[in-house]
C-alpha cells in the first residue's frame, strides 16, 4: 500500500503532539510551545454539540405525535421504544469573494439610450454546504449549519469524546461527489473581475436524535435535530376517521345525478331524454369524468391505510401497499386522455378550416 | 487496515483514508494519506436482535401480509461490498455471490465505520470477496480513482408463518428488509371486501335516487341514509386488519 504516514511532533522540543481534527493551534504537553499546524490536503473536522438532551428530544417527538390527522389511539397505543444520538457529517465549502464587478445599465434619457457602467467593489464571505452522507436514507432533506451555529458554537472534532455516547457517521461521499470543490467558485460572467480567496473545505458533524416508537407491533422513526429541536423526519400512522365518510360523500355526489337520469330514462318521455342526452353529451361526459376522479381519490383513502410522513417542512400522506395505479385511477386516466385527444382533434379541425382550400 | 506508527513502530488501526490517527501505544498523532490500495472497513450494526421481530412485522404489515410470524433463528453476518470511485461518481458492487436476489437493491448504508482488523473479527461471520478487485475493475472497465471494501452488517432471520419457513435479510443499520419469498398477502381479500362495501353504498344511493319521484327529497334522504351506511360499512370492514 502506497501513501504516507507522517508523524506530528513539536517543532521546538520534538515531543509527540496530541492533535485533534479541526484544531489548528496545538499546545505541546512537554514544553508548552504553541504551534500552528497546517497539513496540506487535510479536511479539518468540526462538531456541533447537542442542545437537546434525550428528555427534550422525546418531548419534541411527543409534540409531533399530538398533531391532528393522526390515528385516534396513537396517544394510548404508541410506546417509546428506543433512542440514539447520531452525528451526521456535512461538508462546508467557504471562500472570500473579493474584487470589482462592473454592471452595465441601459438608461433612457430624453429619448436616447445611454449605456452606463457601474462598478461595485465586492468583499463577502461565501459558504456552500452539502451532506457528506446520503441524508436521503434518513429521510432528511437538509440540515442548515447556519441555524445550528446560531445556537451552539462549532468545536474541533474529538472522535473519542463524541463516540462515547453517540454514533458518529463517517463521510462516505468524497468531496467531488458531493460537489464541494473549488470549481464551484468560478465566474465566467462579463464584467466580473472578482476572485475567490481562501477557499477552504471542512466537515461539520451535526447531532440528531433518532427516536423509535412502537404502535401495534410496528416501529416508527422520528429524527429530531439535536440543536434546534426541529423535526427533520417523522412517520406516524394516519387517522382513519374520515375514511368511510369520504367514500360515502364521493359516492353520493356521483350517484345523485346518475340515479336521477336513470329515473327519467325509465319513467319520463324517452324521446325527450334521448335528445337531452345527445345535446348535453359533452358536458355530461366531462361531469362523469370529474365524478370518477372524485371516487378514485376517495377509494384511495377508503381502501388503503395511510402514514403521515414529515420531511422538513413537507408533510405528505403515504398510502400503504397501494399499487402505482388503482382500477379507478386507470379509468379516470382513460377518460381524461379521451377528453385530451378529442380536444386536440377539435383544435386541429379548427386550425385546418375547410374553407382554406377554396 | 493498519499502518506502522513512525514513532514507536506499533500497529495503528486506520479507518480513514486521509486524516489524523492516534497511536494507541505511544499516543502520538499521525497524519495518514493513502493514495493507493483500498481501505477495508466494517460498518457498526445498530439494529439489535430484540428489534428484529418488530422490524420484520412492520415491513410485513406495510405489505399487507398476515401477522403472527415466529422468528426461529437470527444470525448476524457481514457481507462484503466494493465501493469504487470513478471521477465524481461512486459505484457499489456486491463482492460475494448474491445470497438472495432481492439483495441486489441493497446499497452500502452510511454509518459508524471501524477499521477491519483481521485478528480481531469473528471470521465465521465475515464473508470475504469472491474475486480480487483488479478482476472486477477489468471486467467492468472502470477507471477507479479510489476503492473501498465495506463489510455491511445483516441479520439473517429465519421465521415461520403457518408452519411454512421463510427467510429475510435485514440491514442491521437502517432496518431495511430484503426477502425473496414472503408470506401470502391478504391484499385481494381486502380489495374485494372494500369494493363490496363501496358497491353497497352506491346501490343504496342509486335506489333512493331512482325510486323517489320528487327530486327535492333525495338529498335530505341521502344525508339521513349516510348515518346507518357509516355504521354498516364500519362493521363490515372491522374484520379486515388495517
Amino acid at each position: 500500500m502506497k501513501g504516507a504516514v507522517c508523524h506530528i511532533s513539536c517543532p521546538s522540543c520534538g515531543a509527540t503532539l496530541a492533535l485533534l481534527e479541526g484544531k489548528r493551534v496545538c499546545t505541546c504537553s512537554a514544553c508548552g510551545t504553541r504551534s500552528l499546524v497546517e497539513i496540506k490536503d487535510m479536511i479539518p473536522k468540526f462538531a456541533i454539540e447537542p442542545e437537546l438532551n434525550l428528555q427534550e428530544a422525546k418531548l419534541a417527538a411527543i409534540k409531533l405525535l399530538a398533531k391532528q390527522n393522526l390515528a385516534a389511539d396513537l396517544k394510548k397505543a404508541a410506546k417509546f421504544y428506543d433512542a440514539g444520538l447520531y452525528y451526521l457529517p456535512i461538508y462546508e465549502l467557504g471562500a472570500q469573494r473579493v474584487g470589482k464587478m462592473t454592471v452595465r445599465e441601459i438608461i433612457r434619457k430624453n429619448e436616447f439610450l445611454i449605456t452606463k457602467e457601474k462598478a461595485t467593489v465586492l468583499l463577502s464571505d461565501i459558504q456552500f454546504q452539502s451532506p457528506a452522507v446520503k441524508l436521503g436514507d434518513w429521510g432528511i432533506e437538509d440540515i442548515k449549519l447556519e441555524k445550528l451555529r446560531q445556537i451552539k458554537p462549532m468545536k474541533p472534532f474529538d472522535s473519542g469524546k463524541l463516540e462515547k455516547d453517540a454514533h458518529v457517521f463517517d463521510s462516505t461521499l468524497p468531496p467531488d461527489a458531493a460537489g464541494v470543490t473549488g470549481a464551484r467558485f468560478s465566474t465566467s460572467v462579463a464584467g466580473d473581475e472578482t476572485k475567490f480567496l481562501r477557499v477552504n473545505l471542512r466537515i461539520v458533524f451535526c447531532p440528531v436524535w433518532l427516536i423509535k416508537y412502537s404502535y401495534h407491533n410496528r416501529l416508527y422513526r422520528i429524527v429530531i435535530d439535536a440543536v434546534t429541536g426541529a423535526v427533520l423526519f417523522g412517520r406516524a400512522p394516519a387517522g382513519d376517521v374520515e375514511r368511510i365518510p369520504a367514500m360515502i360523500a364521493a359516492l353520493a355526489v356521483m350517484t345523485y345525478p346518475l340515479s336521477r337520469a336513470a329515473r327519467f330514462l325509465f319513467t319520463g318521455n324517452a324521446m325527450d331524454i334521448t335528445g337531452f342526452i345527445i345535446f348535453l353529451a359533452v358536458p355530461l361526459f366531462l361531469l362523469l369524468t370529474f365524478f370518477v376522479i372524485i371516487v378514485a381519490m376517495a377509494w384511495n383513502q377508503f381502501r388503503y391505510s395511510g402514514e403521515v410522513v414529515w420531511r422538513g417542512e413537507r408533510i405528505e400522506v403515504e398510502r400503504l401497499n397501494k399499487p402505482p395505479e388503482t382500477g379507478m385511477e386507470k379509468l379516470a386516466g382513460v377518460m381524461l386522455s379521451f377528453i385530451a385527444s378529442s380536444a386536440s382533434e377539435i383544435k386541429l379541425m379548427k386550425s385546418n378550416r375547410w374553407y382554406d382550400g377554396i | 487496515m493498519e499502518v506502522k506508527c513512525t514513532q514507536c513502530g506499533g500497529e495503528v488501526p486506520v479507518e480513514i483514508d486521509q486524516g489524523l490517527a492516534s497511536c494507541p501505544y505511544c499516543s502520538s498523532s499521525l497524519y495518514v494519506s493513502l493514495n493507493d490500495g483500498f481501505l477495508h472497513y466494517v460498518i457498526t450494526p445498530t439494529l439489535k436482535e430484540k428489534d428484529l421481530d418488530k422490524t420484520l412485522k412492520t415491513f410485513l404489515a406495510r405489505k399487507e401480509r398476515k401477522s403472527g410470524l415466529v422468528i426461529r433463528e437470527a444470525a448476524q453476518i457481514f457481507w462484503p461490498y466494493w465501493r469504487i470511485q470513478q471521477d465524481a461518481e461512486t459505484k457499489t458492487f456486491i463482492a460475494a455471490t448474491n445470497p438472495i436476489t432481492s439483495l441486489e437493491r441493497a446499497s452500502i448504508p452510511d454509518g459508524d465505520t471501524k477499521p477491519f482488523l483481521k485478528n480481531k473479527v469473528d471470521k465465521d461471520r465475515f464473508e470475504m470477496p469472491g474475486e480480487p478487485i483488479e478482476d472486477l475493475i477489468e471486467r467492468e472497465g472502470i477507471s477507479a480513482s479510489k476503492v473501498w471494501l465495506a463489510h455491511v452488517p445483516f441479520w439473517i432471520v429465519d421465521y415461520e408463518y403457518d408452519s411454512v419457513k421463510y427467510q429475510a435479510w435485514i440491514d442491521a443499520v437502517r432496518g431495511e428488509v430484503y426477502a425473496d419469498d414472503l408470506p401470502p398477502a391478504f391484499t385481494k381479500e381486502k380489495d374485494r371486501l372494500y369494493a363490496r362495501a363501496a358497491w353497497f353504498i352506491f346501490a343504496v344511493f342509486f335506489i333512493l335516487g331512482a325510486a323517489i319521484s320528487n327530486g327535492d327529497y333525495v338529498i335530505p334522504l341521502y344525508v339521513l341514509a349516510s348515518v346507518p351506511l357509516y355504521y354498516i360499512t364500519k362493521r363490515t370492514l372491522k374484520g379486515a386488519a388495517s
Side-chain angles (χ1 to χ4, degrees):
Chain A
M1 167 145 334
K2 277 186 226 162
V5 181
C6 311
H7 170 236
I8 299 160
S9 62
C10 173
S12 177
C13 70
T16 55
L17 284 179
L19 190 66
L20 287 178
E21 297 263 7
K23 212 170 183 182
R24 297 189 64 191
V25 177
C26 185
T27 313
C28 175
S29 53
C31 68
T33 311
R34 281 153 67 85
S35 319
L36 174 72
V37 184
E38 268 190 330
I39 302 174
K40 215 184 134 212
D41 298 334
M42 192 180 86
I43 308 173
K45 292 177 182 170
F46 295 88
I48 299 176
E49 279 173 19
E51 175 78 12
L52 270 69
N53 57 27
L54 177 58
Q55 271 313 314
E56 287 164 324
K58 268 194 206 169
L59 272 179
I62 290 167
K63 219 171 118 192
L64 182 76
L65 295 183
K67 288 210 165 134
Q68 297 283 312
N69 293 332
L70 299 181
D73 63 338
L74 192 61
K75 251 188 201 164
K76 243 195 266 166
K79 284 185 185 74
F80 170 76
Y81 184 76
D82 200 357
L85 185 65
Y86 291 79
Y87 281 93
L88 305 178
I90 289 173
Y91 282 120
E92 189 170 43
L93 186 68
Q96 251 180 0
R97 192 176 189 180
V98 188
K100 194 176 79 176
M101 189 125 86
T102 322
V103 184
R104 246 179 228 166
E105 245 180 310
I106 299 170
I107 310 166
R108 183 183 286 270
K109 202 174 181 185
N110 301 335
E111 291 180 19
F112 290 105
L113 290 175
I114 299 167
T115 319
K116 205 175 169 188
E117 280 194 352
K118 205 172 144 192
T120 351
V121 175
L122 264 179
L123 175 67
S124 60
D125 285 320
I126 291 179
Q127 258 151 1
F128 171 78
Q129 65 165 80
S130 176
V133 287
K134 294 165 280 170
L135 282 187
D137 277 2
W138 284 67
I140 302 174
E141 302 250 288
D142 203 5
I143 296 177
K144 290 260 182 297
L145 287 177
E146 224 23 77
K147 271 190 188 166
L148 266 56
R149 272 192 298 241
Q150 280 169 9
I151 300 170
K152 277 263 171 176
M154 248 174 14
K155 281 183 181 166
F157 177 77
D158 183 347
S159 127
K161 195 178 151 200
L162 296 186
E163 276 182 16
K164 236 184 244 169
D165 41 24
H167 296 277
V168 181
F169 273 35
D170 295 283
S171 57
T172 46
L173 285 173
D176 41 356
V180 280
T181 52
R184 181 160 282 275
F185 297 139
S186 62
T187 50
S188 55
V189 187
D192 187 351
E193 288 167 55
T194 57
K195 273 185 183 157
F196 293 94
L197 302 176
R198 295 173 62 185
V199 178
N200 60 81
L201 180 64
R202 60 186 173 203
I203 297 179
V204 185
F205 286 83
C206 304
V208 298
W209 279 105
L210 171 66
I211 293 176
K212 288 184 199 163
Y213 69 94
S214 69
Y215 169 78
H216 292 313
N217 253 330
R218 290 188 207 177
L219 274 185
Y220 289 91
R221 295 163 163 230
I222 296 174
V223 182
I224 309 262
D225 186 323
V227 179
T228 62
V231 175
L232 298 172
F233 173 80
R235 197 181 259 278
D240 53 2
V241 194
E242 73 288 353
R243 271 167 84 174
I244 298 171
M247 196 64 197
I248 291 178
L251 283 175
V253 169
M254 180 171 154
T255 321
Y256 176 69
L258 277 182
S259 59
R260 293 315 282 168
R263 185 183 168 82
F264 278 117
L265 263 180
F266 289 110
T267 60
N269 189 332
M271 281 301 286
D272 280 5
I273 201 77
T274 321
F276 182 72
I277 286 175
I278 290 167
F279 179 66
L280 285 175
V282 174
L284 273 180
F285 188 75
L286 290 178
L287 202 64
L288 197 66
T289 312
F290 175 66
F291 290 151
V292 170
I293 292 171
I294 289 180
V295 175
M297 280 161 68
W299 171 257
N300 289 348
Q301 201 171 20
F302 179 60
R303 164 64 181 82
Y304 304 102
S305 48
E307 279 181 4
V308 179
V309 182
W310 291 269
R311 280 193 180 88
E313 304 281 299
R314 274 196 302 138
I315 302 169
E316 52 196 46
V317 178
E318 266 177 30
R319 299 270 153 218
L320 298 182
N321 208 36
K322 183 188 159 302
E325 208 175 30
T326 60
M328 280 307 268
E329 280 173 340
K330 255 181 221 163
L331 180 64
V334 168
M335 288 168 98
L336 275 177
S337 64
F338 178 72
I339 292 172
S341 68
S342 335
S344 66
E345 240 166 68
I346 291 168
K347 226 181 190 175
L348 207 71
M349 271 156 66
K350 271 190 184 161
S351 60
N352 305 329
R353 278 168 300 187
W354 59 273
Y355 52 80
D356 278 0
I358 300 170
Chain B
M1 207 203 83
E2 291 113 356
V3 293
K4 274 215 157 65
C5 174
T6 50
Q7 193 70 8
C8 70
E11 300 242 298
V12 183
V14 176
E15 58 179 296
I16 35 163
D17 44 8
Q18 198 169 57
L20 287 170
S22 178
C23 173
Y25 307 103
C26 69
S27 77
S28 44
S29 296
L30 300 168
Y31 175 68
V32 184
S33 168
L34 307 169
N35 312 314
D36 209 359
F38 60 83
L39 199 78
H40 189 169
Y41 65 92
V42 183
I43 301 169
T44 316
T46 52
L47 202 73
K48 294 171 195 85
E49 194 167 353
K50 67 171 174 72
D51 306 340
L52 295 177
D53 183 61
K54 278 203 165 59
T55 307
L56 198 57
K57 277 179 182 160
T58 310
F59 171 78
L60 291 174
R62 287 206 177 114
K63 294 214 169 293
E64 298 191 333
R65 307 288 153 155
K66 286 166 187 155
S67 56
L69 62 97
V70 186
I71 292 181
R72 290 286 173 224
E73 211 183 329
Q76 200 173 50
I77 195 158
F78 291 82
W79 211 254
Y81 281 85
W82 291 113
R83 202 156 71 88
I84 300 173
Q85 193 188 342
Q86 184 180 19
D87 303 323
E89 212 186 324
T90 48
K91 287 179 177 172
T92 306
F93 296 92
I94 192 159
T97 322
N98 219 347
I100 54 168
T101 331
S102 48
L103 211 62
E104 265 167 32
R105 294 184 285 118
S107 58
I108 305 174
D110 290 315
D112 194 352
T113 61
K114 293 274 176 292
F116 177 85
L117 303 171
K118 248 186 226 162
N119 312 324
K120 284 190 182 165
V121 297
D122 179 0
K123 273 181 195 135
D124 296 340
R125 287 194 183 174
F126 281 77
E127 184 75 19
M128 283 301 155
E131 60 173 350
I133 180 67
E134 291 78 16
D135 292 4
L136 177 82
I137 286 175
E138 205 183 306
R139 186 155 45 83
E140 297 283 333
I142 313 167
S143 59
S145 52
K146 228 176 211 178
V147 178
W148 296 264
L149 179 59
H151 262 110
V152 179
F154 283 98
W155 281 101
I156 306 177
V157 183
D158 289 309
Y159 63 99
E160 225 174 84
Y161 172 76
D162 247 3
S163 60
V164 181
K165 279 180 187 158
Y166 299 94
Q167 195 184 64
W169 282 56
I170 302 178
D171 170 343
V173 181
R174 290 171 296 196
E176 302 265 343
V177 178
Y178 305 95
D180 285 353
D181 296 309
L182 292 178
F186 52 82
T187 308
K188 279 211 176 112
E189 284 109 294
K190 217 173 155 183
D191 276 343
R192 241 176 270 141
L193 185 69
Y194 275 78
R196 215 186 298 145
W199 276 116
F200 179 72
I201 300 168
F202 177 79
V204 170
F205 282 150
F206 193 87
I207 290 165
L208 282 178
I212 282 138
S213 57
N214 191 340
D216 296 346
Y217 294 133
V218 177
I219 291 171
L221 259 175
Y222 274 16
V223 176
L224 273 179
S226 298
V227 181
L229 274 177
Y230 173 78
Y231 287 102
I232 292 168
T233 317
K234 207 173 171 184
R235 255 192 99 167
T236 318
L237 301 179
K238 217 175 180 182
S242 57

